[in-house]
Amino acid sequence: MLTRNCLSLLLWVLFDGGLLTPLQPQPQQTLATEPRENVIHLPGQRSHFQRVKRGWVWNQFFVLEEYMGSEPQYVGKLHSDLDKGEGTVKYTLSGDGAGTVFTIDETTGDIHAIRSLDREEKPFYTLRAQAVDIETRKPLEPESEFIIKVQDINDNEPKFLDGPYVATVPEMSPVGAYVLQVKATDADDPTYGNSARVVYSILQGQPYFSIDPKTGVIRTALPNMDREVKEQYQVLIQAKDMGGQLGGLAGTTIVNITLTDVNDNPPRFPKSIFHLKVPESSPIGSAIGRIRAVDPDFGQNAEIEYNIVPGDGGNLFDIVTDEDTQEGVIKLKKPLDFETKKAYTFKVEASNLHLDHRFHSAGPFKDTATVKISVLDVDEPPVFSKPLYTMEVYEDTPVGTIIGAVTAQDLDVGSSAVRYFIDWKSDGDSYFTIDGNEGTIATNELLDRESTAQYNFSIIASKVSNPLLTSKVNILINVLDVNEFPPEISVPYETAVCENAKPGQIIQIVSAADRDLSPAGQQFSFRLSPEAAIKPNFTVRDFRNNTAGIETRRNGYSRRQQELYFLPVIIEDSSYPVQSSTNTMTIRVCRCDSDGTILSCNVEAIFLPVGLSTGALIAILLCIVILLAIVVLYVALRRQKKKDTLMTSKEDIRDNVIHYDDEGGGEEDTQAFDIGALRNPKVIEENKIRRDIKPDSLCLPRQRPPVEDNTDIRDFIHQRLQENDVDPTAPPYDSLATYAYEGTGSVAESLSSIDSLTTEADQDYDYLTDWGPRFKVLADMFGEEESYNPDKVT
């Protein structure tokens, strides 16, 4: 390889006149294209502009991958015709891997690979080379680009990227049926040698399957492979490069192949006769047995349909398929009776639902078996002769009247007597009774059709030999109507007649209703009562369709003369006995316009002057309402004002001390002062103490020991307190009432002589001198008396 590179370089030098021309990398090109010329300036040797042919060329270089030698791998050599071998030219290398993967000898231009390369990691490297003057450091040649390609070796085995594989193929497929295509990938260069040429083969799985060595398509190799014999196959596939030659690398994968089911097997009964035993008391629709046909197929190919072949006893039974177990479930369509028939025999056919026409030649895909059913005797309850009994009875029928009967029998071999009774849950009010032995039903209460028109209850029959065996039947009793109510007007009518009505005019259509259950074709008739038929103002016209019309007989009516008319109407029904009633209709005379539209039916409107319109009436009424509202508002304001004045006067004396100046009539006079004066608002206003200024402070007298409570004063206070509590004129709020007794808490103590000491000699008035100038005169008076006291003269 190195010799070939050197020879290529030499040939290019010879053919191109010793000049090298750089080429763009072309993977398939081994020779250079046309050289390109550049204009350069060489000072001192050439003119300013001279065409100079390029001076160096080379081809693509190749280097082996996975090189394991001890020395760097030689790649090639670069040379310029300007290099005279004097060491004045320096070669430089740049680009992919320059300095790390590839190095260049700056003097000789030899290129080496300094580490092992992997083509699968990077197939080629693009580098740039340049010749530089070693002294001036100026380029002698323009920089050119070249490629070093990594030459492939067979170092990668084929790999199945999608393995392991899973495939299916129908059973009973012919030879060569397509199964699956596998593909192996080789990372080696497919354009160089046979390193990436893969060949497929089967290592495990013969003789059932085969594989195409080039395409990797797997096909069946044996005919009629049966899933019921073997369902799963595991095939080992090998892919080998180098065209399968010796020394090639190989990779393997596993292919799991499953045979899918086809309907190639008919259902088969494991035995030809099935025996079943069924109690005669089995209810209709119940499952009485199961049979099963076997089908070795799978899924929908194993789905079986069962049918009863028409024949003996087949009409009493039905068969359906259990989708989970594929069993045939036999059900009862009609009741069984051991006393009537003790055994049944019929045939059942099993067939596939989904047939495959390719296998019809193997025979019919169905099978038949015989089913024999034995009926077992069971002690059964009595059986009523009818599933439902319907009876009729007239209302108000006397109590104890028989209205019907029920019958039940014991059909077992040993017939037993039957007892009857009414189910109390369905006839809780006991309107009917039943004879326990005969089964006759009679009334137990008087029946009223208008209250209850129909009765529905149950009767139970039980065997005397086994009372636990019972049967039940429903009884429906319709109560027939007796014509006991007369017909009446269906709804209350509000009838009006215009003042300008004409004779023969229908002013009202009336209809009737009857609380009795009217039979079909019943008719009601309408007529006036005999007393109203004499010179009538109105008459009744019977329309013969259960309705009638009220017809006028006069030419105009006047509300001033008579506002209301009362019309008695007789209504009869057609039942037996005939019932009738008299219904009085009220007819009001109203004012109408010329078209007959009612304008007013009010009584007040009669006395209004002629020509006053409705708008004027409304205006007058509105004025009256406004005046009444003004009067009511005025009265309410007056009352509110009085109430506010009273409250203000009462609030002024709230929590205030009433001051008065009255000494009383002496010690014995306890009735001289009227306490009611304390509540006089005028006195309160005149003596009200100002609360906005602080009162003058008084000098407190010296304290005296408290005297004992006086019983008379306590009784006086309690009496006044009780009088005040029961006084109806007392204000509704808390107030302070003063009873002219200051008590021991007064600052000046009591000035009354009630609590004075027994003798004046015991009085000590020295404290008056301590009260200041205001009490000087009083102190002198009492002081003189004390000094003048003859008792103290010795």
Side-chain angles (χ1 to χ4, degrees):
M1 182 62 69
L2 296 177
T3 303
R4 186 177 64 179
N5 293 337
C6 295
L7 180 60
S8 299
L9 180 61
L10 179 61
L11 289 175
W12 280 111
V13 173
L14 293 175
F15 288 151
D16 208 17
L19 298 176
L20 297 175
T21 301
L23 299 175
Q24 294 296 329
Q26 300 178 4
Q28 301 299 330
Q29 186 176 349
T30 58
L31 298 176
T33 59
E34 290 184 8
R36 294 185 297 174
E37 297 178 350
N38 295 331
V39 180
I40 61 174
H41 175 65
L42 297 176
Q45 295 183 4
R46 299 187 178 110
S47 60
H48 293 287
F49 297 98
Q50 183 178 357
R51 299 173 66 88
V52 178
K53 183 177 291 186
R54 217 154 175 185
W56 53 306
V57 296
W58 59 88
N59 201 351
Q60 295 177 349
F61 294 110
F62 295 89
V63 60
L64 288 174
E65 70 169 336
E66 306 294 345
Y67 177 75
M68 305 301 293
S70 59
E71 297 294 332
Q73 183 180 184
Y74 179 76
V75 179
K77 184 180 182 65
L78 300 181
H79 185 71
S80 175
D81 58 348
L82 299 179
D83 187 2
K84 305 302 182 180
E86 298 174 354
T88 60
V89 178
K90 177 183 177 181
Y91 297 95
T92 62
L93 192 66
S94 62
D96 293 343
T100 57
V101 180
F102 302 99
T103 61
I104 187 171
D105 191 315
E106 296 180 351
T107 304
T108 63
D110 293 333
I111 301 174
H112 292 82
I114 60 176
R115 68 180 180 87
S116 178
L117 302 178
D118 187 1
R119 189 200 68 83
E120 289 73 34
E121 180 180 349
K122 190 173 181 65
F124 62 89
Y125 295 83
T126 302
L127 297 97
R128 294 178 298 278
Q130 193 173 39
V132 182
D133 189 293
I134 198 171
E135 294 179 357
T136 63
R137 300 295 181 180
K138 294 183 179 180
L140 300 177
E141 303 278 350
E143 188 179 52
S144 296
E145 190 175 79
F146 68 97
I147 295 176
I148 298 178
K149 299 186 69 173
V150 181
Q151 190 172 0
D152 183 51
I153 64 173
N154 189 19
D155 60 341
N156 292 281
E157 74 278 2
K159 294 182 179 179
F160 294 92
L161 301 180
D162 298 329
Y165 297 86
V166 176
T168 59
V169 63
E171 64 174 336
M172 299 297 174
S173 297
V175 176
Y178 176 85
V179 179
L180 179 69
Q181 183 178 14
V182 296
K183 183 175 179 60
T185 302
D186 196 321
D188 292 328
D189 189 0
T191 64
Y192 180 77
N194 295 326
S195 298
R197 182 185 173 191
V198 179
V199 175
Y200 301 95
S201 61
I202 293 181
L203 300 183
Q204 176 185 333
Q206 295 176 339
Y208 303 104
F209 301 96
S210 63
I211 188 170
D212 189 302
K214 294 182 179 181
T215 63
V217 175
I218 302 174
R219 301 181 182 274
T220 58
L222 285 181
N224 300 328
M225 286 189 291
D226 194 355
R227 186 197 67 86
E228 287 74 30
V229 176
K230 186 177 181 180
E231 183 177 4
Q232 298 286 341
Y233 294 87
Q234 191 175 77
V235 181
L236 182 62
I237 304 297
Q238 174 185 269
K240 190 174 184 181
D241 59 11
M242 299 299 291
Q245 298 178 5
L246 185 63
L249 301 179
T252 60
T253 188
I254 294 176
V255 180
N256 294 312
I257 301 175
T258 302
L259 296 183
T260 58
D261 185 60
V262 297
N263 193 8
D264 58 339
N265 295 286
R268 292 286 183 265
F269 284 107
K271 55 184 179 179
S272 59
I273 300 177
F274 292 87
H275 293 275
L276 300 176
K277 294 182 178 180
V278 182
E280 64 173 340
S281 59
S282 299
I284 296 176
S286 61
I288 61 175
R290 290 173 175 258
I291 61 176
R292 187 172 186 272
V294 179
D295 191 334
D297 291 326
F298 178 75
Q300 68 174 10
N301 296 320
E303 293 180 0
I304 302 174
E305 181 182 18
Y306 296 91
N307 293 288
I308 294 178
V309 179
D312 180 34
N315 57 345
L316 272 73
F317 305 94
D318 192 12
I319 188 169
V320 295
T321 303
D322 188 333
E323 295 182 358
D324 296 330
T325 62
Q326 294 300 313
E327 293 178 321
V329 181
I330 301 176
K331 295 185 176 182
L332 192 62
K333 289 175 59 177
K334 296 181 181 181
L336 301 176
D337 187 7
F338 176 81
E339 289 73 24
T340 303
K341 191 170 184 178
K342 299 178 177 59
Y344 297 89
T345 302
F346 54 89
K347 291 184 178 182
V348 176
E349 182 181 82
S351 59
N352 283 132
L353 288 175
H354 307 280
L355 300 179
D356 194 334
H357 300 287
R358 295 177 299 173
F359 305 101
H360 280 183
S361 59
F365 275 72
K366 60 183 178 180
D367 195 14
T368 304
T370 301
V371 178
K372 292 186 176 182
I373 296 179
S374 300
V375 181
L376 302 179
D377 187 22
V378 176
D379 193 6
E380 298 175 301
V383 178
F384 283 96
S385 59
K386 295 180 181 180
L388 174 67
Y389 289 86
T390 302
M391 303 176 185
E392 294 180 347
V393 60
Y394 281 99
E395 62 179 340
D396 297 332
T397 298
V399 176
T401 302
I402 296 176
I403 59 176
V406 297
T407 304
Q409 294 181 350
D410 181 15
L411 302 179
D412 291 333
V413 176
S415 180
S416 173
V418 177
R419 298 280 298 178
Y420 305 95
F421 55 93
I422 296 177
D423 186 3
W424 63 270
K425 295 180 181 179
S426 59
D427 186 26
D429 295 332
S430 301
Y431 285 103
F432 305 94
T433 61
I434 188 171
D435 187 286
N437 297 323
E438 301 296 333
T440 56
I441 301 174
T443 58
N444 194 39
E445 297 284 347
L446 287 177
L447 306 180
D448 184 10
R449 191 206 64 81
E450 287 70 31
S451 175
T452 305
Q454 190 180 74
Y455 294 88
N456 189 355
F457 58 93
S458 300
I459 291 180
I460 300 175
S462 64
K463 298 173 64 172
V464 175
S465 60
N466 189 357
L468 297 178
L469 294 177
T470 62
S471 58
K472 184 183 296 186
V473 69
N474 288 333
I475 308 298
L476 187 64
I477 297 180
N478 296 317
V479 181
L480 302 180
D481 183 44
V482 174
N483 192 23
E484 55 183 342
F485 295 99
E488 299 174 349
I489 291 179
S490 57
V491 294
Y493 293 96
E494 295 182 359
T495 306
V497 62
C498 294
E499 288 183 313
N500 55 359
K502 303 299 181 181
Q505 183 177 346
I506 301 297
I507 62 174
Q508 182 69 59
I509 303 296
V510 297
S511 61
D514 194 341
R515 287 187 293 170
D516 292 317
L517 181 62
S518 302
Q522 184 177 13
Q523 294 290 329
F524 298 121
S525 62
F526 302 82
R527 71 177 187 273
L528 282 178
S529 64
E531 61 273 12
I534 302 173
K535 294 182 181 182
N537 294 306
F538 303 91
T539 186
V540 177
R541 182 188 298 180
D542 193 349
F543 296 136
R544 306 298 181 183
N545 60 354
N546 291 341
T547 61
I550 307 301
E551 182 180 356
T552 59
R553 297 292 298 272
R554 291 175 51 183
N555 186 10
Y557 299 85
S558 174
R559 285 189 296 169
R560 294 181 181 274
Q561 296 178 1
Q562 185 173 352
E563 181 188 4
L564 298 177
Y565 291 90
F566 299 98
L567 184 66
V569 179
I570 298 177
I571 307 176
E572 292 183 352
D573 58 18
S574 59
S575 300
Y576 181 82
V578 175
Q579 297 286 349
S580 64
S581 65
T582 301
N583 301 263
T584 302
M585 296 187 61
T586 302
I587 303 174
R588 184 181 298 274
V589 181
C590 299
R591 185 167 62 88
C592 305
D593 58 10
S594 59
D595 297 332
T597 303
I598 297 176
L599 298 179
S600 175
C601 292
N602 297 329
V603 179
E604 293 80 1
I606 300 175
F607 303 100
L608 293 177
V610 179
L612 195 59
S613 63
T614 305
L617 293 176
I618 295 176
I620 293 173
L621 292 177
L622 184 60
C623 292
I624 294 173
V625 172
I626 293 175
L627 291 175
L628 290 176
I630 293 175
V631 172
V632 172
L633 181 60
Y634 175 76
V635 173
L637 291 175
R638 290 294 302 271
R639 291 184 179 179
Q640 183 68 26
K641 185 176 180 181
K642 290 182 178 181
K643 183 177 180 181
D644 293 342
T645 303
L646 179 60
M647 292 299 296
T648 302
S649 62
K650 293 179 180 179
E651 289 175 355
D652 289 338
I653 62 174
R654 189 178 302 173
D655 298 333
N656 291 330
V657 178
I658 299 174
H659 177 74
Y660 62 93
D661 294 317
D662 194 341
E663 296 182 357
E667 296 181 0
E668 301 299 332
D669 186 6
T670 60
Q671 304 292 331
F673 180 72
D674 186 7
I675 298 178
L678 299 176
R679 302 189 181 92
N680 190 346
K682 295 182 179 180
V683 177
I684 295 173
E685 291 292 332
E686 295 174 356
N687 297 279
K688 184 181 299 184
I689 299 175
R690 295 184 61 185
R691 298 186 179 184
D692 56 341
I693 60 174
K694 183 177 181 181
D696 295 336
S697 60
L698 300 177
C699 296
L700 298 177
R702 58 186 179 183
Q703 298 293 330
R704 296 183 58 195
V707 298
E708 296 181 358
D709 293 338
N710 192 292
T711 305
D712 297 335
I713 297 301
R714 182 170 63 251
D715 295 340
F716 170 76
I717 295 298
H718 288 169
Q719 180 182 358
R720 291 294 181 266
L721 180 61
Q722 292 177 2
E723 292 175 356
N724 187 73
D725 289 340
V726 299
D727 186 4
T729 62
Y733 44 81
D734 296 337
S735 61
L736 179 63
T738 304
Y739 303 108
Y741 177 69
E742 296 179 2
T744 59
S746 174
V747 175
E749 298 183 1
S750 178
L751 299 180
S752 175
S753 60
I754 298 177
D755 287 338
S756 300
L757 298 177
T758 55
T759 63
E760 294 183 358
D762 296 334
Q763 297 285 350
D764 185 7
Y765 300 103
D766 293 340
Y767 60 89
L768 295 177
T769 59
D770 298 334
W771 288 6
R774 297 181 180 180
F775 297 90
K776 181 179 180 181
V777 177
L778 187 62
D780 294 339
M781 292 173 58
F782 284 93
E784 292 176 358
E785 292 179 1
E786 183 179 0
S787 61
Y788 185 71
N789 191 352
D791 296 336
K792 294 184 179 182
V793 178
T794 56

